[in-house]
């Protein structure tokens, strides 16, 4: 039989790496919940139309979507991102506004896999639906910022831009289109052909042809209407008040069509430029209506879990450490004592593990080393007969060497050693 492997662009995340994921998600959950965001779980697949409505002109929707017909003939797609699902859910459930939610989970895009770019990748994110207040933009951006900061990442930047709204964007779009039409021959193949679909995308293109052709392109920031200009100024003022450093990047248009006003991205100075975005987001004040709901503003972001952990590795911050247990129970009497002692230790709040299958002493101590435990609890025939256990330091640093204590005093001894 041919060897079965995970599909190209996907991978298994196993311990100890998975412990870093769990810690990152837990940290994000605490951060989001503390700011009034509740967990939202939406389906991993939706009607194709949910995603088509949000980004018909984008690569993500046009070229990278995993879409399929189910056995009932429905045309569905694995989600390439979460915002569209959350907005669909809002329209369907109509929770009270503002509706502030956070999420974690996988997304699927048929991209060329490489380091930091997968076909199934995981995002943390949040969405705040129901307010157009610029201070909400500051809250949302500030929450992502505080997560990076709490993780000890120091080489994360923040780029922001404003894309205007349906008052000032159409005029700007025309201006940009006229500018680019005059330079159509200089653009890359894709943007030459698809210029009319969304001329803004040429600004975001990383190909040298497009970058050169758009150097002097008109900038949306110079053509904002008065309310959009005031909104952007208020966002910047808020970020400065919170001490969040940022740079204005007038080329930042981002991948999906639905953004209005504030857009932002968090590049990491520690990663290769092709995969350096640790996250991004923006306002989508027209999206709810475009998807068939009542006019309702919203803003959100998505952060890539794989990218954040890569940045942790690249910056060498502590979050890169593994998980592991506190105590490993080595039982040389057949396993029944290990069964009972690990259960007692866990009930007392310790992370405890053991070996199974009555392995040799050597194999059990090897497993204890691999487990990352600082202490081993050893139960041999002598201890079992005397109603005692031996506690042994595995790492150095826990004071006290090896001692034998009454089984009833094991909890005290572990507490004394591990604090
Ligand atoms: P986007 O919706 O494309 O702005 O993605 C938001 C964040 O998700 C990005 O900033 C990345 O951190 C991450 N991301 C997007 N696509 C991928 C991918 N194919 N593989 C890994 N991470 C990704």
């Amino acid at each position: 039989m041919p060897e079965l492997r995970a599909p190209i662009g996907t991978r298994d995340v196993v311990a100890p790496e998975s412990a870093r994921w769990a810690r990152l998600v837990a940290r994000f959950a605490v951060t989001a919940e503390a700011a009034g965001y509740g967990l939202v779980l939406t389906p991993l697949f939706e009607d194709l139309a949910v995603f088509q409505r949000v980004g018909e002109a984008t690569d993500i929707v046009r070229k990278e979507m995993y879409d399929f017909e189910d056995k009932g003939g429905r045309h569905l797609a694995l989600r390439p991102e979460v915002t569209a699902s959350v907005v669909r859910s809002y329209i369907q459930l109509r929770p009270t506004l503002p509706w502030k939610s956070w999420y974690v989970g996988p997304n699927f895009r048929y991209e060329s896999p490489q380091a930091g770019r997968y076909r199934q990748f995981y995002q943390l994110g949040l969405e705040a639906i129901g307010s157009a207040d610029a201070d909400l933009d500051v809250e949302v951006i500030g929450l992502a910022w505080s997560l990076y900061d709490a993780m000890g990442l120091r080489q994360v930047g923040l780029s922001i831009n404003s894309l205007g709204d349906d008052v000032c964007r159409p005029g700007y779009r025309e201006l940009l289109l006229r500018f680019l039409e005059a330079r159509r021959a200089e653009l890359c193949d894709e943007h030459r052909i698809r210029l009319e679909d969304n001329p803004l995308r040429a600004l975001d293109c990383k190909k040298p042809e497009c970058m050169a052709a758009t150097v002097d392109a008109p900038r949306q920031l110079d053509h904002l209407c008065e309310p959009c200009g005031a909104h952007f100024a208020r966002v910047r003022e808020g970020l400065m008040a919170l001490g969040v450093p940022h740079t204005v990047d007038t080329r930042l248009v981002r991948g999906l069509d639905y953004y209005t006003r504030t857009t932002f991205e968090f590049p990491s100075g520690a990663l290769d430029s092709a995969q350096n975005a640790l996250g991004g987001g923006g306002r989508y004040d027209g999206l709810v209506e475009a998807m068939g709901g009542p006019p309702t503003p919203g803003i959100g972001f998505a952060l890539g879990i794989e990218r954040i952990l890569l940045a942790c590795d690249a910056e060498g911050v502590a979050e890169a450490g593994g998980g592991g247990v506190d105590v490993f129970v080595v039982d040389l009497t057949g396993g029944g004592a290990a069964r009972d002692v690990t259960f007692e230790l866990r009930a007392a709040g310790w992370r405890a593990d053991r070996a199974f299958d009555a392995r040799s002493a050597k194999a059990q101590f090897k497993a204890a080393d691999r487990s990352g435990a600082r202490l081993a609890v050893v139960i041999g025939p002598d201890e079992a007969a005397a109603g005692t256990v031996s506690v042994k330091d595995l790492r150095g640093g826990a004071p006290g060497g090896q001692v034998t204590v009454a089984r009833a005093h094991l909890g005290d001894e572990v507490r004394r050693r591990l604090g």
Side-chain angles (χ1 to χ4, degrees):
M1 197 159 79
E3 192 187 354
L4 299 174
R5 302 183 62 86
I8 292 171
T10 71
R11 63 198 191 105
D12 305 306
V13 183
V14 301
E17 194 194 353
S18 51
R20 303 168 63 201
W21 285 56
R23 275 205 302 278
L24 172 55
V25 173
R27 195 191 278 275
F28 183 68
V30 169
T31 306
E33 296 275 346
Y37 293 75
L39 176 63
V40 61
L41 302 164
T42 61
L44 292 191
F45 59 88
E46 298 269 2
D47 270 341
L48 182 68
V50 168
F51 305 114
Q52 276 175 334
R53 292 222 205 145
V54 306
E56 214 115 38
T58 65
D59 286 358
I60 294 171
V61 173
R62 248 178 352 101
K63 295 195 225 154
E64 298 173 359
M65 209 138 65
Y66 281 90
D67 62 314
F68 58 96
E69 222 168 76
D70 76 1
K71 296 187 197 309
R74 296 169 199 88
H75 202 163
L76 303 170
L78 299 185
R79 68 177 185 204
E81 58 109 47
V82 183
T83 306
S85 296
V86 173
V87 168
R88 194 268 311 133
S89 166
Y90 164 69
I91 294 169
Q92 190 174 338
L93 305 176
R94 299 296 173 91
T96 341
L97 296 178
W99 191 41
K100 304 210 296 186
S101 43
W102 70 272
Y103 60 79
V104 57
N107 299 305
F108 308 87
R109 296 182 193 174
Y110 192 76
E111 300 199 73
S112 309
Q114 47 196 297
R117 189 172 295 281
Y118 303 97
R119 289 184 175 168
Q120 174 171 333
F121 61 96
Y122 290 76
Q123 287 182 335
L124 298 164
L126 49 85
E127 310 291 346
I129 295 178
S131 169
D133 194 326
D135 289 356
L136 182 58
D137 305 30
V138 177
E139 173 175 296
V140 164
I141 296 171
L143 286 170
W145 187 260
S146 61
L147 180 75
Y148 297 131
D149 189 54
M151 296 184 72
L153 290 169
R154 295 292 171 260
Q155 296 184 50
V156 183
L158 165 60
S159 309
I160 68 166
N161 190 20
S162 174
L163 297 180
D165 62 5
D166 53 9
V167 174
C168 52
R169 181 131 69 140
Y172 167 71
R173 192 191 137 104
E174 275 312 303
L175 202 66
L176 180 65
L177 187 58
R178 279 204 301 279
F179 175 91
L180 292 174
E181 270 169 352
R183 289 160 186 79
R184 189 185 279 270
E186 298 162 37
L187 297 174
C188 78
D189 289 349
E190 176 174 359
H191 292 112
R192 191 166 54 239
I193 296 160
R194 305 194 63 89
L195 183 57
E196 282 77 11
D197 287 352
N198 186 352
L200 269 72
R201 295 304 310 281
L203 293 180
D204 199 28
C205 181
K206 300 287 183 290
K207 300 225 173 72
E209 312 86 285
C210 276
M211 290 185 75
T214 55
V215 169
D216 298 319
R219 309 170 340 151
Q220 173 75 68
L221 268 192
D222 299 328
H223 298 87
L224 294 178
C225 58
E226 197 280 324
C228 283
H231 186 98
F232 193 59
R234 173 90 185 176
V235 172
R236 296 203 61 196
E237 179 197 316
L239 292 174
M240 281 183 257
L242 298 191
V244 179
H246 57 276
T247 51
V248 174
D249 178 356
T250 57
R251 285 174 169 272
L252 183 67
V253 305
R254 296 190 37 79
L256 292 162
D257 290 342
Y258 53 66
Y259 287 110
T260 53
R261 291 193 167 172
T262 318
T263 52
F264 53 94
E265 211 158 76
F266 299 96
S268 163
L271 297 182
D272 272 0
S273 66
Q275 271 81 241
N276 71 346
L278 297 191
R283 225 175 222 293
Y284 44 82
D285 293 346
L287 180 60
V288 177
E289 199 177 4
M291 289 181 67
T296 316
I299 179 167
F301 66 64
L303 316 179
I305 294 187
E306 293 88 348
R307 299 275 177 92
I308 293 177
L309 294 179
L310 277 177
C312 286
D313 291 341
E315 287 201 35
V317 302
E319 201 69 25
V325 295
D326 304 309
V327 184
F328 199 93
V329 181
V330 173
D331 181 355
L332 309 174
T333 66
R339 176 194 61 212
D340 301 343
V341 170
T342 44
F343 193 80
E344 284 162 24
L345 287 168
R346 289 169 189 162
W350 299 106
R351 297 175 300 172
D353 202 2
R354 54 164 294 189
F356 290 93
D357 305 311
R359 311 283 304 280
S360 69
K362 192 171 158 212
Q364 290 192 52
F365 275 107
K366 217 164 145 189
D369 272 337
R370 262 203 313 268
S371 76
R374 286 170 62 196
L375 292 180
V377 172
V378 186
I379 304 145
D382 294 349
E383 283 93 348
T388 59
V389 295
S390 292
V391 181
K392 185 171 187 280
D393 183 3
L394 291 175
R395 305 264 126 174
Q402 175 160 346
V403 295
T404 300
V405 296
R407 168 90 182 266
H409 294 151
L410 174 60
D412 295 337
E413 181 63 18
V414 171
R415 203 170 318 114
R416 192 176 70 74
R417 302 252 201 143
L418 299 182

